[in-house]
Amino acid sequence: MGIGLFLAAMDQTIVVAGTSYASIGSELEQLQRTTWIATAYMLTVTSFQPLYGKLCNIFGRKPVLLCAYGIFALGSLCCGLARTMDELIFSRALAGVGGGGMTTIVSIILSDIVPLRLRGKWQGYVNIIYTCGSISGAPIGGVVADSIGWRWAFLIQTLPCLGAMLVVAFYLDLPGAQDHSSFLSKIKRIDYLGSITLIASILSLLVAFDHGGNISWSDSVTLISIGTLFLSLSLFIIVENYLASEPIASMNIIFNKSFLGAYLSNFFGVSVMMTVFFYAPIYLQAVKQQSASMTSLWLVFTVLAGLSGSLGSGFIMQATGKFYAISVISYTMLIGGAACLLLSTGVFSHSAAGVAVGLTLVSLGNVGPFFNKGAGTTSTLIALVSNAGHENQAMATATSYLFRSLGSVLGVAFGNNIEQQVLRTTLRNLLDVENIDEIIRRSRESLSYINTLEPVLQEKVRNGYSVAVQAIMTVGYGINSVQKIIALRISFMDM
């Protein structure tokens, strides 16, 4: 299962490398649409993750995992053979359907075969595999694109995925009674209307925030997406409460008091993580004038911190059987990290070392920059599995992944809105030149443009970025405080 997990993690970052984007866009003559290569994958991963919990209960863990492998392999193959940008985007979306299952189902299976007391430790091992895949994607994609061509960045994933499929098919032996009912009867149990309305709701939400944050909240696409969101979400609630005989996402699972505490902790924690890890490097480069390589070096410590937090909390839970205290301590570290970031980005001082310490505490307490889970995310997962029981743990685990994915998307979109609005307003107040609109536009588009300005203007623009990042960190600190309250009120019983 680790092979598939590595591939799913690597696939999320394999086209991040600038060389991959440039090569793909240039060959297909659609450079302006290359961001959809990553967006299409992210949209389907997020949309289909909650469905895998119910599918596992109907068809069994192993068959659904094998199906996810097959979809991912087919999607990767189609990506490598794509002739147009539309074909490539569709293929990436198809790969995302499989990739979402390859991560979610592994977590579900681990909860089946690993005793609860050892679950945290094994989650730490899984996080190491996932992190290695995430950090490998971008350099592998760049090297492959520069040497044998970008298509092989996708094609090379096909054979390992098929290999993982064969290993799982022959060697994964899961406990429990087998359901010998006919395939047709299982097909009839699927909540099709609920699945469609759920996917439509998630897609509408993601498109609305993505388009609103990057284009405009008054744009027609954004408004249509928001309208579709309310319509599809209303239909989903009606279907799940009154029409579906076997709901794909029962309201009892989503709004259960114990489960909801874990879901919200994951949602807010990941949203803050995405915000600070996206904009802290911008602060280091725009305000502190750090190089991109030096900024990346700071992030190495955060990756190690996240893995240490996950493994450390797992061993502690194995030894003590306690996870409530670990959750509270973890989210206290998260607040400390957010406070350090806020103070180090201009409120108290301008310190690159302070920013690095803040990012490290955030990773240790919650989630790292490549989704490597820290102590808090691991402990809340164990608490969720403990309270869900075997009957509900598949759907509860899948729902937790949905909240994490939503948090990552909304965190970046929300942070982008704050940064752009504050930056525009601050620069307009600081600058007193004739071509102010041109300077504001180009300063927002490229950090390298700042270096071409006169020294006095450079300082004012960098101050504008400092104020914008401070605003983001202030909001992040507030969200962390809310999350700490949620963590304190989680009604979890220790093992």
Side-chain angles (χ1 to χ4, degrees):
M1 291 190 295
I3 300 173
L5 193 67
F6 181 92
L7 292 173
M10 183 178 72
D11 198 66
Q12 294 189 52
T13 58
I14 199 164
V15 293
V16 170
T19 50
S20 297
Y21 273 134
S23 300
I24 295 170
S26 299
E27 180 175 329
L28 300 180
E29 299 181 350
Q30 291 277 311
L31 188 60
Q32 75 279 9
R33 299 177 63 198
T34 51
T35 54
W36 274 100
I37 300 171
T39 302
Y41 184 89
M42 176 191 66
L43 287 174
T44 50
V45 164
T46 305
S47 301
F48 281 84
Q49 273 179 334
L51 306 185
Y52 278 106
K54 188 63 178 180
L55 293 177
C56 281
N57 287 342
I58 295 176
F59 294 98
R61 275 57 159 163
K62 185 174 177 178
V64 177
L65 179 59
L66 292 174
C67 183
Y69 283 146
I71 296 173
F72 180 83
L74 178 62
S76 298
L77 178 64
C78 291
C79 286
L81 301 177
R83 297 164 299 178
T84 66
M85 182 60 74
D86 289 333
E87 289 182 2
L88 179 58
I89 292 172
F90 175 80
S91 300
R92 288 292 291 162
L94 181 63
V97 175
M102 288 160 65
T103 53
T104 306
I105 300 172
V106 167
S107 186
I108 294 172
I109 291 177
L110 275 180
S111 299
D112 289 335
I113 63 178
V114 175
L116 184 61
R117 199 173 183 111
L118 304 178
R119 183 67 172 81
K121 181 178 71 175
W122 276 92
Q123 186 64 40
Y125 296 153
V126 166
N127 290 342
I128 293 176
I129 298 173
Y130 191 89
T131 303
C132 290
S134 295
I135 62 179
S136 300
I140 289 176
V143 170
V144 171
D146 287 339
S147 55
I148 57 178
W150 63 267
R151 294 181 182 277
W152 286 97
F154 302 108
L155 294 174
I156 59 173
Q157 299 182 74
T158 305
L159 285 179
C161 189
L162 294 176
M165 194 173 180
L166 289 174
V167 173
V168 167
F170 285 104
Y171 292 103
L172 180 61
D173 184 19
L174 297 179
Q178 299 295 317
D179 183 0
H180 297 290
S181 58
S182 67
F183 181 76
L184 182 61
S185 64
K186 292 178 180 179
I187 288 290
K188 291 179 179 179
R189 292 174 58 189
I190 298 177
D191 177 16
Y192 294 102
L193 188 56
S195 302
I196 293 171
T197 52
L198 176 60
I199 292 171
S201 300
I202 297 172
L203 284 174
S204 301
L205 176 66
L206 297 179
V207 172
F209 266 85
D210 179 73
H211 205 79
N214 292 290
I215 307 299
S216 171
W217 287 102
S218 59
D219 185 80
S220 59
V221 174
T222 306
L223 296 177
I224 292 173
S225 299
I226 293 174
T228 305
L229 168 63
F230 282 107
L231 176 61
S232 56
L233 187 59
S234 300
L235 290 174
F236 172 71
I237 293 174
I238 293 172
V239 169
E240 299 304 282
N241 277 332
Y242 304 108
L243 301 179
S245 57
E246 292 193 43
I248 198 78
S250 170
M251 296 296 107
N252 294 331
I253 297 294
I254 296 177
F255 294 107
N256 180 283
K257 181 181 178 181
S258 297
F259 300 166
L260 191 60
Y263 297 153
L264 293 179
S265 292
N266 286 333
F267 175 82
F268 288 121
V270 174
S271 65
V272 171
M273 178 275 295
M274 288 297 292
T275 302
V276 300
F277 279 107
F278 191 84
Y279 290 101
I282 291 179
Y283 169 83
L284 292 174
Q285 294 181 64
V287 181
K288 295 299 293 179
Q289 303 182 51
Q290 299 268 356
S291 65
S293 57
M294 180 59 69
T295 302
S296 300
L297 185 60
W298 287 117
L299 294 180
V300 172
F301 297 102
T302 66
V303 173
L304 297 176
L307 292 176
S308 300
S310 179
L311 274 175
S313 63
F315 279 107
I316 292 173
M317 284 185 281
Q318 177 183 340
T320 65
K322 307 293 183 182
F323 49 71
Y324 177 80
I326 294 176
S327 298
V328 173
I329 293 171
S330 299
Y331 292 121
T332 300
M333 285 192 293
L334 186 60
I335 288 183
C340 188
L341 286 167
L342 179 60
L343 294 174
S344 300
T345 52
V347 173
F348 179 75
S349 65
H350 289 282
S351 171
V355 170
V357 171
L359 293 177
T360 301
L361 287 174
V362 169
S363 299
L364 187 64
N366 191 55
V367 186
F370 296 102
F371 285 96
N372 49 308
K373 282 70 174 176
T377 306
T378 300
S379 63
T380 53
L381 175 62
I382 306 309
L384 184 66
V385 173
S386 175
N387 281 258
H390 182 74
E391 181 181 354
N392 295 321
Q393 72 95 356
M395 293 179 63
T397 301
T399 304
S400 73
Y401 274 84
L402 169 64
F403 274 84
R404 292 180 195 176
S405 298
L406 289 176
S408 67
V409 176
L410 301 187
V412 173
F414 190 56
N416 181 68
N417 272 274
I418 295 174
E419 193 241 8
Q420 292 300 319
Q421 292 180 19
V422 173
L423 183 59
R424 281 196 300 263
T425 303
T426 304
L427 291 180
R428 195 164 293 279
N429 292 333
L430 290 176
L431 299 176
D432 185 18
V433 292
E434 293 182 359
N435 58 336
I436 182 173
D437 291 330
E438 175 71 9
I439 292 177
I440 292 175
R441 180 182 65 82
R442 298 192 63 183
S443 296
R444 290 168 53 217
E445 291 176 347
S446 173
L447 295 180
S448 59
Y449 170 74
I450 302 175
N451 297 325
T452 66
L453 298 172
E454 298 177 3
V456 175
L457 291 178
Q458 278 192 41
E459 183 178 357
K460 290 182 178 181
V461 172
R462 296 188 194 282
N463 286 337
Y465 267 98
S466 177
V467 173
V469 174
Q470 285 175 40
I472 294 172
M473 297 304 173
T474 301
V475 173
Y477 181 77
I479 294 175
N480 280 333
S481 300
V482 172
Q483 185 187 30
K484 177 62 181 295
I485 296 173
I486 294 172
L488 288 172
R489 296 188 60 82
I490 292 177
S491 54
F492 288 148
M493 296 178 62
D494 288 319
M495 290 177 276

